[in-house]
Amino acid sequence: MPLGARPGQSPQLRELRQSVRRLLGLDDDTAVVIRQLACTEPGCPPLETVIAVFPMNGRARRWTLHATVAEIAEDDLRAALLTHDPKESA
């Protein structure tokens, strides 16, 4: 199994994680966590994708996209990561 690969991880999820790393210029020490969660907000699709970035030094950042991993296009990801302020946590 290649380093960094996870059993059962979909190719779409792996590609999305790589795209996040590339678009944000992240180093290998920065963790990228992507989860699909049930959306409970009115009018929201049944699943949303949450992308969290945890650098070794600095604040964690989080973005929520109201789409499944399979529905997120490169342009949508770029717009979300580069034009919307992420939610930060200590």
Side-chain angles (χ1 to χ4, degrees):
M1 177 179 316
L3 186 63
R6 294 183 179 95
Q9 184 182 59
S10 75
Q12 292 168 325
L13 186 58
R14 190 170 32 256
E15 184 178 323
L16 183 60
R17 184 174 285 110
Q18 290 170 348
S19 294
V20 169
R21 287 190 169 288
R22 182 177 39 76
L23 288 168
L24 295 177
L26 302 176
D27 60 28
D28 291 339
D29 291 332
T30 299
V32 175
V33 178
I34 301 172
R35 295 286 182 254
Q36 289 188 128
L37 304 171
C39 184
T40 58
E41 297 175 23
C44 182
L47 289 176
E48 63 185 9
T49 301
V50 177
I51 299 170
V53 173
F54 300 95
M56 291 294 286
N57 297 311
R59 294 182 168 266
R61 297 175 287 168
R62 180 174 50 94
W63 296 265
T64 301
L65 289 80
H66 295 285
T68 65
V69 168
E71 296 170 331
I72 299 172
E74 178 85 13
D75 289 340
D76 299 328
L77 182 62
R78 182 179 295 109
L81 297 179
L82 302 179
T83 61
H84 296 109
D85 290 331
K87 293 180 181 174
E88 293 189 4
S89 56

